């Protein structure tokens, strides 16, 4: 058994098998170190996988040597290799970052469970991404969600509202997952298979109410998971009250993976031969994407809690991805993929900066940010740069995203969408600008609950955070990895989907 | 044309699923008690389990447990496998007791749900293809099966991929085999397996949900949603309310 | 000498290195200012290298790297950019001298941040000047906006916050909301953003469609730094900044980057021919004309000296836009020379205003009565600068007005000539009244009282000038404006390729 042949299964196996060890370790530093180590191993596997796919094309791995379509297949093409790389990369940055933040925010006695759950959540996210089997998606989705509920609930030490937020997320998430299962069941009924590629073949030319209903159930189910406006209600609470490190991790990965699943189902499973899809693009994804962009972003402007503000901003940003998908073109799809990647970088960095502030100020209220530049300059500038990235200022990834999206909308003839994209990013100027002004131009509170000692976050947090900020700039200048791969991935997906006849 | 009542009764399993699903969802949304919400969620999930199980049912099929001793090897296998996809595909109309052969010869158009969109040939194609690639394995299955006797049926699928090209032939064979009114027809095992997984997931979700409910009760002293919301509001605006005296 | 191509990239990079140096020498003000001046000198040499190379008919260019496939970060010098580069870098040197005098004379806080932001801003201005495509231009345009924000909000009080909010709000809203879509749209049509002689759109656009007009509108208002009304409010609001910032950035680098971009877009993206054939520029020509008159009228009512100068700038910037929109070769030439002449003139005025503030803490025009008696050098320079802005010979500012009138005549827009004349008269009223007040009117009583502490009133002979470093720079720029008058011919020839390309 050689290493290369087993490579595709490693991103799932490594964290899954190694996670329970974290639980067996004594509370404190050991589980954290273990989780960090595992995340790096996983990242290495994903990076190798991306390189392999980039060189050799699609890799198919048969779990337990059972041939698809009966056996479960792991099918790695450029699109999911990129998402795997992203998710494991974010994990490899956030896990080392987590220690100081988690020690403050989580009961010491829970720390081994915490890191175990974090690793299992990672497993689930990677599994969703890598698998080529529709039902397997559900299983991994629930693995990641269940551990996410637990992780969010652990924020209860600081604020008991984490519990209700986690509960709401659980209800909505479970409904979403169950809808997804119903949809998969209907597809199985129509085709007798669960393998995605096989489903695609058998769905070709099928257009009946069973398949339509299956499509609708799947879209609603995933829509709940990815917080598609207006099914986003669980998200702000969950991100706000989760432990800060968990917010950073989930915000950068969970919704991205759900968006990926949506893309996978639309383009690989259904494809453009599926007549219902055109209507879904025009009447569901496009308007909901636009509505999310504006409404959620506007709501973000009026939030007094930074984490909640960023959460609403995430809902808005997901709107961009849906918009890109709804164009039904290669450019649109690659814009969505690029933005998925880039948004993970910026939101990850922003939530990490908030985590640093929470560490020192003990609060993520907007008041804690007043005059922050005089107290925590490095954190402040990390926030500013990633905030500019969110706005879409040149030399950052956000600009690359905007460019791709605009180009896609003009190329697809949706020129009005182009103007709506920039208009909504101006709303981002508002909510980011508000915080930046507060941080730079106000005097910090000298006393009271929001007074902060003039001491920046520890290096264990600053280094990963600034690494991510640097990535925000690096991928804003070098789009070889993101733009190049996303483009080719989108082309491959569109070929599979039967592009040209949307 | 079938009458309205026949239409309803012939699909009784779906009605059960739909009614359960609605009861479950209604409970989730309408009840303020967190435990009741979880119960509703479970009812909702149960409806989906039932849905999956009913689509796996093959008319006249038995539980998918291998009873090889009583059978001529190849054909027995063939029947079982050949049936399952057919069952999956054409179960909608399922007039109970009809043989496979009869079903194919019968006007599938009678099955409204499907016929509305599928033309007959396509339907047959799906069935044939479906039957094909499973049954294809059955030609090779005896060899395998001889070696790994008394394995679960699904195991034979391992070599399924070899047989795509002879799918049509195999399907034909399978259908013929079925026409001989073989003694043993198996129900499709795959939905059972899937739903076993889903049940495990559902139980895990319930456990987490109940655990959260317990923690919420510890933290808030109640599990009624309106009271929780009221307390959260105080937590959010409490300071302001005290300062200005305008808000409770 | 280094090769002009390298000099292009180095001109953008050098101030950034200087910024680093300034940061490292935070603790020692003398060293810090030394770094600034050395950087300014180096930058000036680099830009002159480029300038001379372009004059010799070379086209220095350099590709830094490709950001997105087909969209490189690249620099290429052409006459207009080379001229703008020299003006910006040369005036930065002068302004650095002035900043030192002003900031020290005024004992400002956060001086390191000030000089660092300044260095980044000049780097961005050079990037705009030498950008070889719209994509590069947009990147540096945005950097320029952001890097000047800390300068505008330098004082950090409520006024600065409000000013900064409007400054950033208007500039970001226009650039992201209008300019970016315009650029992407251009890219979608022409599949390139590379500036090309004769315009990149001309081959791709159906001249009859409304597209040209819409796109031109996106550019005209999207380039908010050109302060075409009604996207001008950022400029008066930017006046909350310390005077060196107003003098250099909001009379030279930032605003000129705006009108420079307008000219570039008109000449190299649309092409003068396309504009003329479609008549797309006509509505914007009238908006620019309205902007000229309206801003002048507003300027007349401003008592705050800097606000008056700011509105004057809004008015003068629209001359450039007007020149571009006339779509004649003389109009373009008028716009191009206006960039140079107005830079020198307006910078003089702002630096004089700053000198007055440093020496006497006066900000209102009505307080200036008689001040010319104690600050003759300052107000002398102010007088020359004002003459140049108005367009009176023998100052450099007279040439652009002349070219613009020629251009308007070529285009057959007689009314525009009238607009230009009325505007000049308005300029005379609101600009020349200031030195007249300072030299001829009797000082106010309370003004004399304020000076009483030193035992000397505001009288002839009682010189009370600002520090040397505050007085010398405006005199230098005023002299420059004077010299420019006699350099019209070389300048015209230098810029001639611009209109030769324009056809």
């Amino acid at each position: 058994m050689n290493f290369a042949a087993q490579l595709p299964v490693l991103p799932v196996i490594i964290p899954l098998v190694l996670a329970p060890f974290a639980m067996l370790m004594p509370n404190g530093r050991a589980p954290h170190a273990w989780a960090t180590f595992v995340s790096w191993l996983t990242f290495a596997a994903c990076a190798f996988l991306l390189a392999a796919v980039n060189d050799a094309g699609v890799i198919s791995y048969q779990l337990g040597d059972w041939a698809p379509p009966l056996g479960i297949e792991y099918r790695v093409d450029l699109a999911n290799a990129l998402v795997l790389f992203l998710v494991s990369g974010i994990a490899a940055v956030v896990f080392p970052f987590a220690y100081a933040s988690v020690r403050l925010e989580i009961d010491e006695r829970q720390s081994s469970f915490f890191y175990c759950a974090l690793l299992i959540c990672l497993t689930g996210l990677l599994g969703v991404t890598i698998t080529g089997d529709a039902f397997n998606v559900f299983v991994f989705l629930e693995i990641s969600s269940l551990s996410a509920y637990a992780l969010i609930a652990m924020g209860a030490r600081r604020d008991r509202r984490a519990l209700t937020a986690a509960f709401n997320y659980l209800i909505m998430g479970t409904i979403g997952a169950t809808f997804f299962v119903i949809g998969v069941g209907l597809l199985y009924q129509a085709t007798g298979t669960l393998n995605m590629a096989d489903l695609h073949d058998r769905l070709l030319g099928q257009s009946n109410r069973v398949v339509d209903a299956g499509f609708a159930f799947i879209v609603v189910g995933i829509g709940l998971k990815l917080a598609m406006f207006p099914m986003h209600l669980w998200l702000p609470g969950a991100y706000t009250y989760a432990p800060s490190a968990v917010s950073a991790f989930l915000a950068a990965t969970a919704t991205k993976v759900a968006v990926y699943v949506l893309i996978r189902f639309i383009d690989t499973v259904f494809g453009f031969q599926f007549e219902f899809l055109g209507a879904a693009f025009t009447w569901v994804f496009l308007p909901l994407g636009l509505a999310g962009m504006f409404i959620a972003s506007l709501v973000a402007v009026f939030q007094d809690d930074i984490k909640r503000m960023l959460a609403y901003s995430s809902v808005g940003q997901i709107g961009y991805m849906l918009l890109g998908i709804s164009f039904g073109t290669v450019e649109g799809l690659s814009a969505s993929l690029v933005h998925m990647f880039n948004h993970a970088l910026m939101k990850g960095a922003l939530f990490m900066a908030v985590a640093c502030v929470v560490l020192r100020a003990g609060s993520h209220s907007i008041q804690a940010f007043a005059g922050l530049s005089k107290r925590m300059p490095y954190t402040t500038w990390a926030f500013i740069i990633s905030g500019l990235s969110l706005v879409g200022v040149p030399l950052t990834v956000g600009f690359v995203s905007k460019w791709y999206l605009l180009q896609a909308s003009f190329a697809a003839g949706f020129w009005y969408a182009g103007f709506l994209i920039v208009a909504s990013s101006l709303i981002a100027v508002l909510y980011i600008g508000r915080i930046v002004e507060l941080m730079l131009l106000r005097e910090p509170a000298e006393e009271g609950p929001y007074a902060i000692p003039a001491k920046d976050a520890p290096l264990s947090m600053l280094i990963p955070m600034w690494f991510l900020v640097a990535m925000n700039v690096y991928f804003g200048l070098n789009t070889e990895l993101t733009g190049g791969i996303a483009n080719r991935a989108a082309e491959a997906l569109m070929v599979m989907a039967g592009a040209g006849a949307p | 044309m079938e009458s309205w009542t026949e239409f309803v009764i012939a699909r009784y399993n779906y009605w059960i699923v739909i009614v359960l699903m609605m009861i479950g969802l209604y409970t989730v949304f309408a009840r303020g008690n967190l435990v009741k919400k979880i119960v509703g969620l479970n009812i909702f999930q149960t409806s989906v389990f039932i849905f999956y199980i009913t689509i796996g049912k093959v008319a006249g099929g038995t539980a998918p447990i291998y009873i090889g001793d009583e059978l001529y090897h190849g054909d027995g296998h063939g029947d079982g496998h050949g049936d399952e996809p057919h069952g999956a595909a054409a179960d909608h109309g399922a007039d109970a007791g009809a043989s496979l052969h009869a079903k194919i010869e019968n006007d599938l158009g009678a099955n409204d749900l499907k016929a509305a969109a599928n033309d007959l040939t396509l339907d047959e194609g799906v069935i044939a293809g479906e039957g094909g690639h499973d049954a294809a394995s059955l030609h090779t299955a005896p060899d395998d099966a001889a070696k790994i006797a008394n394995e679960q049926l699904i195991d034979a699928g391992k070599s399924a991929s070899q047989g795509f090209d002879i799918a049509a032939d195999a399907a034909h064979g399978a259908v013929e085999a079925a026409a001989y009114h073989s003694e043993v027809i198996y129900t499709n095992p795959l939905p059972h397996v899937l739903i076993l997984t889903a049940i495990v997931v559902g139980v895990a979700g319930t456990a987490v949900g109940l655990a959260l409910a317990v923690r919420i009760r510890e933290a808030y002293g109640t599990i009624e949603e309106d009271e929780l919301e009221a307390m959260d509001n105080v937590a959010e605006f409490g300071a302001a309310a005290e300062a200005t005296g305008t808000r409770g | 000498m280094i090769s002009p191509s390298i000099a292009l990239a180095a001109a953008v990079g050098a101030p950034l290195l200087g910024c680093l140096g300034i940061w490292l020498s935070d603790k020692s003000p003398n060293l810090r200012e030394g770094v600034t001046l050395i950087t300014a000198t180096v930058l000036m040499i680099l830009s002159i290298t480029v300038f001379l190379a372009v004059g010799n008919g070379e086209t220095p260019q350099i590709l830094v790297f490709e950001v997105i496939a087909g969209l490189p970060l690249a620099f290429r010098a052409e006459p207009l950019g080379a001229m703008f580069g020299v003006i910006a870098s040369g005036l930065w040197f002068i302004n650095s001298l002035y900043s030192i005098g002003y900031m020290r004379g005024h004992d400002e806080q956060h001086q390191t941040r000030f000089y660092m932001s300044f260095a980044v801003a000049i780097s961005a201005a050079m990037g705009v000047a030498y950008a070889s495509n719209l994509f590069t231009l947009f990147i540096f345009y945005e950097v320029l906006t952001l890097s000047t924000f800390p300068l505008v909000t330098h004082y950090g009080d409520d006024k600065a916050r409000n000013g900064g909010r409007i400054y950033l709000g208007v500039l970001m809203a226009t650039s992201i909301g209008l300019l970016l879509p315009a650029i992407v749209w251009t890219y979608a049509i022409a599949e390139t953003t590379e500036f090309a002689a004769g315009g990149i759109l001309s081959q791709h656009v159906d001249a009859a469609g409304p597209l040209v007009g819409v796109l031109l509108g996106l550019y005209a208002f999207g380039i908010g730094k050109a302060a075409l009304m009604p996207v001008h409010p950022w400029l008066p609001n930017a006046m909350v900044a310390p005077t060196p910032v107003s003098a250099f950035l909001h009379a030279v680098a930032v605003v000129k980057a705006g009108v420079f971009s307008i000219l570039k877009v008109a000449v190299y993206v649309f092409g003068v021919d396309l504009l003329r054939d479609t008549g797309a520029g006509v509505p914007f020509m009238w908006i620019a004309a309205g902007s000229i008159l309206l801003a002048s009228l507003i300027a007349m009512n401003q008592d705050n000296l800097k606000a008056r100068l700011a509105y004057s700038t809004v008015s003068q910037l629209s001359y450039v836009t007007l020149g571009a929109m006339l779509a004649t070769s003389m109009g373009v030439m008028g716009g191009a020379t206006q960039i140079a002449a107005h830079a020198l003139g307006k910078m003089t005025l702002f630096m004089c205003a700053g000198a007055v503030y440093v020496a006497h803490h006066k900000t209102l025009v009505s307080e200036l009565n008689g001040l010319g008696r104690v600050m003759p050098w300052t107000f002398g320079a102010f007088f020359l600068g004002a003459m140049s802005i108005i367009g009176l010979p023998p100052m450099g500012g007279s040439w652009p007005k002349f070219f613009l009138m020629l251009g308007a005549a070529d285009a057959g827009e007689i009314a525009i000539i009238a607009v230009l004349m009325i505007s000049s008269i308005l300029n005379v009223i609101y600009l020349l009244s200031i030195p007249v007040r300072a030299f001829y009117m009797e000082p106010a009583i309370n003004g004399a009282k304020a000076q009483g502490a030193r035992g000397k009133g505001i009288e002839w002979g009682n010189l009370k000038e600002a520090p040397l470093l505050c007085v010398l720079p405006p005199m230098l720029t005023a002299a420059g404006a004077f010299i420019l008058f006699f350099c019209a011919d070389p300048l015209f020839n230098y810029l001639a390729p611009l209109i030769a390309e324009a056809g």
Side-chain angles (χ1 to χ4, degrees), chain C residues 263-276:
Chain C
L263 266 184
K264 279 275 235 190
V265 166
V267 175
Y268 294 114
V269 174
F270 287 90
V272 173
D273 292 339
L274 182 69
L275 288 184
R276 189 172 50 231

Side-chain angles (χ1 to χ4, degrees), chain C residues 139-156:
Chain C
I139 288 177
F140 286 103
Y141 183 94
E142 287 293 62
V143 173
L144 189 54
T145 308
L146 292 171
S147 61
T148 48
F149 179 70
L151 296 172
V152 172
T153 57
H154 184 81
Y155 292 119

